[in-house]
Amino acid sequence: RETQQLCTKVGLYRNLLVYYERTLCKNIFEDIPVTYLISQGDRDPQFARFAKQFTAIADMNTAAAAAEEKENEGGKMTAETRKFVGYDEAYADRSLDYEDCQHNLWIFKPGADNRGNGIQVVRDLRTARELVNAESRPCILQKYMERPMLIDGRKFDIRCYALLTSDLQLYF
């Protein structure tokens, strides 16, 4: 259905991706959190990419904790430990800064639900695998924003609805 092009998480993501690639010629992940669209459960190549990035962040956090412990004993934390830049060329489009990976939190968004229904925070790979395998429709795994923009210490979103009539009148 045509309404699913912008009214579902999956449709919106797919359209944004095309718009960024074809019109803006820009990496979408410069503006939105790292996102994976999963269509075939844990057999999906995008899930494999997600799992590799999830594991790399976990490994980086383990190394950072060990380096911090060593730093507390008089050692130094290296720049490599503080920086996470995608770990290989195939994933360079989805690289993250160390500050965005302190907590390896991801958000699971089922493709068919709306109004926040079914959204879950994912803290481990096993849970992510169970959620995507239980979903019969495409779903999204998206990096939780650890440093969001806040207004008076609170997260927010802006929703704007518009209606364009056949005689090209625009209403907000």
Side-chain angles (χ1 to χ4, degrees):
R1 293 184 358 209
E2 293 302 316
T3 59
Q4 293 181 350
Q5 293 300 314
L6 294 177
C7 296
T8 65
K9 296 165 204 70
V10 170
L12 181 61
Y13 174 70
R14 284 179 174 152
N15 282 294
L16 275 174
L17 194 58
V18 169
Y19 174 71
Y20 269 74
E21 288 174 354
R22 294 184 187 167
T23 305
L24 299 179
C25 300
K26 181 179 176 185
N27 180 0
I28 190 172
F29 302 116
E30 292 176 18
D31 294 331
I32 72 166
V34 171
T35 303
Y36 293 94
L37 175 60
I38 314 294
S39 299
Q40 303 164 5
D42 65 355
R43 299 179 323 276
D44 194 298
Q46 287 293 306
F47 185 82
R49 288 184 76 182
F50 159 77
K52 188 172 181 180
Q53 188 162 33
F54 186 97
T55 302
I57 292 170
D59 292 347
M60 180 202 56
N61 284 336
T62 301
E68 193 169 318
E69 189 174 306
K70 187 175 181 182
E71 183 178 11
N72 290 339
E73 296 169 2
K76 295 289 180 197
M77 184 178 281
T78 66
E80 291 78 35
T81 305
R82 288 209 173 271
K83 191 173 174 190
F84 176 66
V85 291
Y87 58 85
D88 87 33
E89 287 300 313
Y91 297 87
D93 66 328
R94 298 176 194 212
S95 64
L96 295 164
D97 292 327
Y98 175 74
E99 290 77 19
D100 296 321
C101 299
Q102 301 287 316
H103 309 282
N104 200 0
L105 298 176
W106 294 75
I107 300 173
F108 168 80
K109 299 178 179 183
D113 289 334
N114 57 20
R115 298 187 318 262
N117 294 328
I119 292 177
Q120 295 187 43
V121 176
V122 174
R123 292 176 167 82
D124 60 78
L125 202 49
R126 180 186 53 79
T127 302
R129 182 170 275 112
E130 289 171 1
L131 288 169
V132 300
N133 284 335
E135 191 65 28
S136 60
R137 299 176 82 175
C139 57
I140 286 181
L141 283 165
Q142 187 173 62
K143 182 70 178 85
Y144 181 82
M145 291 177 61
E146 297 188 29
R147 299 179 299 154
M149 181 184 289
L150 303 175
I151 295 178
D152 292 330
R154 298 187 64 128
K155 290 170 75 172
F156 67 96
D157 63 62
I158 298 171
R159 297 178 188 205
C160 178
Y161 298 92
L163 172 66
L164 180 63
T165 63
S166 59
D167 60 347
L168 300 180
Q169 296 228 358
L170 184 62
Y171 299 93
F172 284 96

